Amino acid sequence: VIYIVKKSFAFIFSAAVLALGVIAISPAPARAQEGEAVVIDEVIAQVNDDVITLSMLKKEMKNAADGLVAQGKTPAEAKTEIESKKPEIISALINEQLLMQKGKQLDLATGVEADVNSRLMAAGKEQGITKLEDLCAAMKQSGLDCEEIRVSLRAEVMKVAVLNREVDAKIFYELTLDELQAYFKAHPEKFKKAEAVTLSEIFLELAGKSEADVKAKAAQIIAQARSGTDFAALAKANSERQRNGTRTAATDGGVVGTLEVPNLRPDIAEAIKSVKAGGVTEPLITPEGIQIIRVDARTAGADTPNFNENNIREAITMERIPEARKAYMVKLRQESYIKVSEGYKAMVGPLLNEATTPSAVTTAETKPKKEDKKDKKQ
């Protein structure tokens, strides 16, 4: 149901090279004059004892551009859009480094590594693979770098772990009963029993196919379903959703299950909004393929609000998370030594020093290095 349900609440070099702002040099390629040193990487920013480098930035920008191309943009369009977001990407890399460092200080590394292994193995089991080394071998055969994927996944898991512990959990557990009751009285509509829907789907892959041909096939299936052809039979014959290398519709007829409408992916919630039980949506185009959704049944919600402490805590927490996380990152940057290289200072400084002192915006540097090290010893 990750295809249906929306997401829920729930790098290091030695200091010796920093003075030069260059990581390495190599003999000049053919286009350079003989004896000329060519910079193959440079320091964009120092973050406490770590650095953000040009190669790291290029990698992030390439991955982001590839993602846009996968969504249908041309390589030129993707490159232009990502280039315009370079300051935000650098800022995000710096924030990520700070969160990785904080996670190590909080001794979260062991738990994060276990989570990374668990997630990788969950993906492996979907393909019938039960050993991590076999999964990495399979990735290699598909042209994927297992360790590179682990590094990216580790960073994502660590960021979430730190923010959950340092921000989200504190909001959730520190709310008082008076706050909960006041919020419940002010927002009773949020705590009524939500409408639920039972859904089935037919999924058509786009990879390696003509999008026009897949769209035409989807239109044909929708016409058949709306004219009375059994949807489960259509799903068994056409749906390409797979698990463990086997098409799931062959056994479940495309049934997804019963879900509360507020928890649906926004595009699906919008698509089924006016579809009655037994009806079929228009095709939904996603990066992976085309979905055709059938509303098998609808269960009406209740008008009377229900006081559920955990639900109210979660609602308040979700509202406060964006600003609270933003404030946490401001504080984390203020407590750290961050120095952005001259060539990037003007574009990144305003983003890094949001809500900090005016002088910090000018220098794009926070907390003197000596003071930072002193704090670390205490």
Side-chain angles (χ1 to χ4, degrees), residues 18 31 42 63 70 72 81 84 90 99 104 137 170 173 187 199-200 203 211 222 238 244 345:
L18 295 181
R31 65 178 181 273
E42 66 174 320
N63 290 340
E81 181 172 337
S84 71
I90 296 173
L99 290 170
K104 292 175 183 177
K170 290 181 179 180
Y173 290 110
H187 307 281
L199 305 176
S200 294
F203 174 74
E211 184 172 329
I222 291 170
N238 298 283
N244 296 330
K345 188 182 295 184

Side-chain angles (χ1 to χ4, degrees), residues 9-10 164 167-169 171 314 316-327:
F9 158 61
N164 280 347
V167 181
D168 309 356
I171 299 172
E314 183 170 343
I316 297 174
T317 301
M318 290 299 291
E319 280 191 7
R320 296 183 182 180
I321 275 177
E323 286 303 316
R325 286 187 174 188
K326 182 178 177 181

Side-chain angles (χ1 to χ4, degrees), residues 18 21 42-46 52 339-346 364:
L18 295 181
E42 66 174 320
V43 172
I44 291 176
Q46 183 177 352
I52 304 299
K339 183 173 178 59
V340 180
S341 299
E342 288 298 326
Y344 301 89
K345 188 182 295 184

Side-chain angles (χ1 to χ4, degrees), residues 344-373:
Y344 301 89
K345 188 182 295 184
M347 70 168 76
V348 181
L351 292 175
L352 286 182
N353 296 287
E354 187 176 7
T356 60
T357 61
S359 60
V361 175
T362 302
T363 62
E365 179 176 351
T366 65
K367 198 170 186 182
K369 188 68 171 177
K370 291 182 179 179
E371 187 178 331
D372 178 66
K373 285 190 173 293

